[in-house]
């Protein structure tokens, strides 16, 4: 009952209320990004959702599109603006995903939606992360976020798929609040973003 019906209803109701309550913060972030981020406000990118259905993920944009002389994007650390860094450290960049939740693309809790490019790289075990809607936060996020290996991240994602429940979602939500307040696990060591997944199709799974 919870997985099939109640979770989606709760997600949309809470997302609607949260958008109303957080509207002043939403507008403030937009204003700061217009002022200090060269008018680049939103980052929209296709991501796979439940059953690998593609949707457009919405985030606040924390990096510019600056490129080198031959047209390649500069390293992430060189494109991350100071206001973008603040918004990312405080996890405010995820705020627009409330719209994705309201639309039904995402849930509050579930495996994080990753790049479409990764779809051909998943083995059968890893692909099970798409058996549920992707989430704003998830079991992997409260157990290391960007500081753990891809292998461990996928293990946490599939564990969540197998154990999804209302009480587990509440637990993850409370742990997420603590992680955000303490700004834990945002970056892998020596980087400002998580390194790319390169595939593990030959694993035992």
């Amino acid at each position: 009952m919870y997985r099939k019906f109640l979770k989606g209803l709760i997600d949309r109701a809470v997302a609607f209320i949260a958008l109303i309550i957080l509207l002043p913060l939403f507008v403030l972030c937009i204003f700061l990004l217009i002022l200090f981020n060269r008018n680049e406000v939103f980052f929209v990118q296709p991501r796979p959702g439940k059953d690998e259905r593609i949707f457009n993920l919405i985030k606040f944009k924390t990096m510019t599109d600056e490129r080198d002389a031959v047209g390649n994007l500069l390293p992430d650390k060189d494109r991350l603006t100071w206001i973008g860094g603040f918004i990312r450290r405080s996890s405010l960049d995820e705020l627009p995903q409330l719209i994705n939740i309201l639309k039904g693309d995402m849930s509050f809790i579930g495996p994080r939606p990753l790049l479409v490019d990764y779809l051909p790289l998943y083995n059968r075990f890893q692909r099970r992360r798409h058996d549920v809607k992707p989430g704003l936060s998830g079991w992997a996020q409260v157990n290391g976020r960007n500081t753990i290996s891809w292998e461990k991240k996928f293990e946490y994602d599939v564990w969540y798929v197998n154990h999804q429940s209302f009480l587990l979602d509440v637990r993850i939500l409370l742990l997420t609040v603590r992680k955000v307040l303490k700004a834990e696990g945002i970056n892998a060591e020596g980087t400002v973003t998580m390194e790319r997944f390169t595939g593990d199709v030959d694993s035992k799974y």
Side-chain angles (χ1 to χ4, degrees):
M1 177 69 76
Y2 173 70
R3 295 189 185 194
K4 290 185 177 180
F5 302 108
L6 292 181
K7 184 176 172 71
L9 291 175
I10 293 172
D11 281 335
R12 284 178 164 150
V14 174
F16 180 75
I17 294 170
L19 276 170
I20 293 174
I21 294 174
L22 297 174
L23 185 60
L25 184 59
F26 201 99
V27 172
L28 177 61
C29 288
I30 292 175
F31 173 76
L32 291 174
L33 288 169
I34 290 174
L35 196 60
F36 298 109
N37 211 44
R38 304 180 184 180
N39 289 323
E40 297 178 356
V41 178
F42 293 106
F43 174 80
V44 180
Q45 187 178 59
R47 298 286 177 96
K50 186 178 185 299
D51 300 324
E52 300 182 3
R53 182 181 64 84
I54 307 302
F55 71 96
N56 288 320
L57 178 82
I58 310 169
K59 298 178 72 171
F60 281 131
K61 193 164 187 175
T62 58
M63 291 186 287
T64 68
D65 293 323
E66 292 178 277
R67 299 176 182 268
D68 59 23
V70 295
N72 297 317
L73 285 172
L74 295 176
D76 291 346
K77 63 182 179 63
D78 295 329
R79 295 187 294 119
L80 185 69
T81 62
W82 74 267
I83 188 62
F86 169 76
I87 287 176
R88 189 168 186 276
R89 285 192 302 273
S90 59
S91 294
L92 292 172
D93 60 321
E94 312 286 357
L95 197 57
Q97 286 167 66
L98 289 172
I99 299 172
N100 288 123
I101 296 173
L102 195 59
K103 290 171 58 184
D105 298 325
M106 293 177 59
S107 174
F108 274 99
I109 305 299
R112 284 294 296 164
L114 301 176
L115 298 177
V116 174
D117 297 350
Y118 295 168
L119 286 175
L121 305 178
Y122 295 138
N123 59 42
R124 186 170 57 183
F125 174 80
Q126 294 161 350
R127 183 160 274 119
R128 290 203 58 222
R129 70 191 310 277
H130 296 294
D131 288 351
V132 298
K133 285 183 181 181
L136 190 61
S137 183
W139 190 235
Q141 277 57 53
V142 298
N143 282 283
R145 197 173 175 179
N146 290 333
T147 62
I148 57 177
S149 68
W150 280 112
E151 181 181 12
K152 182 60 67 175
K153 188 188 294 284
F154 291 135
E155 286 180 7
Y156 284 138
D157 287 344
V158 176
W159 184 91
Y160 173 79
V161 171
N162 293 334
H163 296 84
Q164 186 182 27
S165 70
F166 174 73
L167 291 179
L168 178 59
D169 282 358
V170 171
R171 179 184 177 190
I172 293 172
L173 183 61
L174 294 176
L175 288 171
T176 298
V177 172
R178 188 177 73 175
K179 289 281 184 180
V180 168
L181 292 177
K182 297 175 69 174
E184 291 181 347
I186 295 174
N187 300 328
E189 186 175 356
T191 67
V192 296
T193 55
M194 181 72 180
E195 63 179 12
R196 287 183 63 89
F197 175 59
T198 57
D200 188 25
V201 293
D202 294 326
S203 105
K204 62 183 179 180
Y205 300 107

